[in-house]
Amino acid sequence: MQILDGKLVSAAVKAQLADKVTELKALGEKVPHLAAILVGNNPASETYVASKVKSCAEIGFNSTLLRFDAKISEKHLLDNITLLNENADIDGILVQLPLPKHINEELVINTIDPSKDVDGFHPMNVGKMVAGLPTYIPATPYGIMLMLEHYNIPTKGKHAVVIGRSHIVGTPMSILLSRNANPGNCTVTLTHSQTVNLKEICLQADIIVAAIGRPNFVTADMVKEGAVVIDVGINRIEDATKKSGFRLVGDVDYNAVAPKTSFITPVPGGVGPMTIAALLKNTYHASLGQKVNMN
């Protein structure tokens, strides 16, 4: 069993980007600039955004953080996104989700200029991804593909089972894994909460991507020997032994499943750092007016 170290791979991606920024500065070219919008004070969102801003500073990107009260009107938020769209110095825009219930997330995503949508959520970018055209890939699936590539994990002809069908992770993951590319060329089964015989399906999987948002959902009796397991979940569960009163676990029962696998991601330290690395790569490409081509 080998651990897929997201921190290590993310550091390698960041180092490459830092070198590219150094080159841009030496040539007197523009440095990539990411704008992040945070609405309210959700603790998890605060942590995620802080990590993204810190990562920008580490590799020499410029970043702007716009913080708004949770009671901000939808119109005010959309107006601020429009200003960012029109600001030529801003290359990438991300709005940290989830948003307060009175704000329509779909409308917010649709308002972001597709050429600055470094989260890859805009319908235009999603459509291009489905069609196999160069575009911005949603950061978490993109990060997972970068990890598979880094570790040279064989995917051609493998059966991949994706658990969870969200537009952010599960659905794009299934598309990328099935694409005629490397990594890719998998036969993919996309499963979800209504899937019948999920255990039997998972036992057929050479690769499992768990993104269902349920702590320790994937158990050892669902995983065949030698499978590759990618755990996208990050769940807080109560733990009186911790100062915070909780600990983080994934969607996979790590201690029980890990011994059966050939490769597995830990939580934390697996997919999470790769999501940020992929976001930074998208921002770099956006600054050059490029799109990511996963073919």
Side-chain angles (χ1 to χ4, degrees):
M1 183 272 289
Q2 183 175 351
I3 292 175
L4 298 173
D5 189 338
K7 291 181 179 179
L8 183 151
V9 185
S10 175
V13 171
K14 287 180 180 178
Q16 292 173 354
L17 290 172
D19 287 344
K20 292 181 182 297
V21 171
T22 300
E23 292 174 9
L24 289 173
K25 288 181 177 178
L27 294 170
E29 301 287 344
K30 181 183 179 303
V31 171
H33 190 162
L34 175 68
I37 292 178
L38 179 62
V39 180
N41 54 5
N42 178 292
S45 293
E46 292 266 7
T47 300
Y48 295 149
V49 171
S51 294
K52 292 166 184 175
V53 171
K54 180 182 177 183
S55 294
C56 283
E58 287 174 352
I59 64 174
F61 281 17
N62 292 327
S63 67
T64 297
L65 173 58
L66 283 74
R67 304 180 65 108
F68 298 106
D69 187 86
K71 295 179 181 179
I72 185 177
S73 70
E74 184 176 86
K75 182 180 183 305
H76 189 195
L77 179 59
L78 296 177
D79 286 346
N80 276 276
I81 293 173
T82 299
L83 290 174
L84 294 176
N85 287 339
E86 296 170 350
N87 185 340
D89 189 55
I90 301 293
D91 301 302
I93 302 170
L94 73 88
V95 178
Q96 185 64 45
L97 304 178
L99 292 169
K101 292 182 179 180
H102 69 280
I103 295 176
N104 184 326
E105 288 188 359
E106 182 179 355
L107 182 58
V108 167
I109 291 168
N110 291 353
T111 300
I112 298 172
D113 183 335
S115 69
K116 298 187 178 187
D117 168 41
V118 290
D119 262 333
F121 296 161
H122 193 284
M124 185 178 293
N125 289 328
V126 172
K128 287 182 177 180
M129 178 190 66
V130 172
L133 299 173
T135 188
Y136 300 121
I137 309 295
T140 297
Y142 185 21
I144 293 170
M145 298 300 282
L146 292 172
M147 179 181 283
L148 293 173
E149 182 179 44
H150 179 91
Y151 281 97
N152 294 311
I153 293 176
T155 58
K156 182 179 179 181
K158 303 296 184 181
H159 183 193
V161 172
V162 179
I163 308 173
R165 55 183 167 184
S166 75
H167 296 307
I168 294 174
V169 181
T171 296
M173 197 73 243
S174 69
I175 293 166
L176 294 173
L177 286 171
S178 65
R179 187 172 290 178
N180 183 15
N182 182 31
N185 279 310
C186 291
T187 298
V188 182
T189 303
L190 180 60
T191 67
H192 44 77
S193 60
Q194 304 303 311
T195 298
V196 178
N197 299 326
L198 178 60
K199 175 182 174 181
E200 288 75 14
I201 294 171
C202 287
L203 282 169
Q204 300 171 27
D206 303 303
I207 301 169
I208 293 176
V209 180
I212 200 167
R214 298 184 189 178
N216 300 319
F217 179 81
V218 177
T219 51
D221 61 346
M222 297 170 67
V223 180
K224 74 177 183 181
E225 291 288 340
V228 177
V229 176
I230 309 293
D231 190 351
V232 182
I234 184 158
N235 310 284
R236 293 186 179 193
I237 62 172
E238 292 184 5
D239 187 341
T241 67
K242 300 290 184 180
K243 184 177 180 180
S244 62
F246 67 86
R247 60 188 171 92
L248 297 177
V249 300
D251 290 352
V252 176
D253 183 356
Y254 183 88
N255 290 335
V257 170
K260 299 184 72 174
T261 65
S262 56
F263 295 91
I264 188 169
T265 59
V267 175
V271 172
M274 291 309 303
T275 298
I276 295 177
L279 175 75
L280 296 173
K281 278 185 74 78
N282 275 343
T283 303
Y284 172 75
H285 287 293
S287 73
L288 300 180
Q290 300 174 342
K291 300 292 194 297
V292 177
N293 192 340
M294 294 298 292
N295 284 335

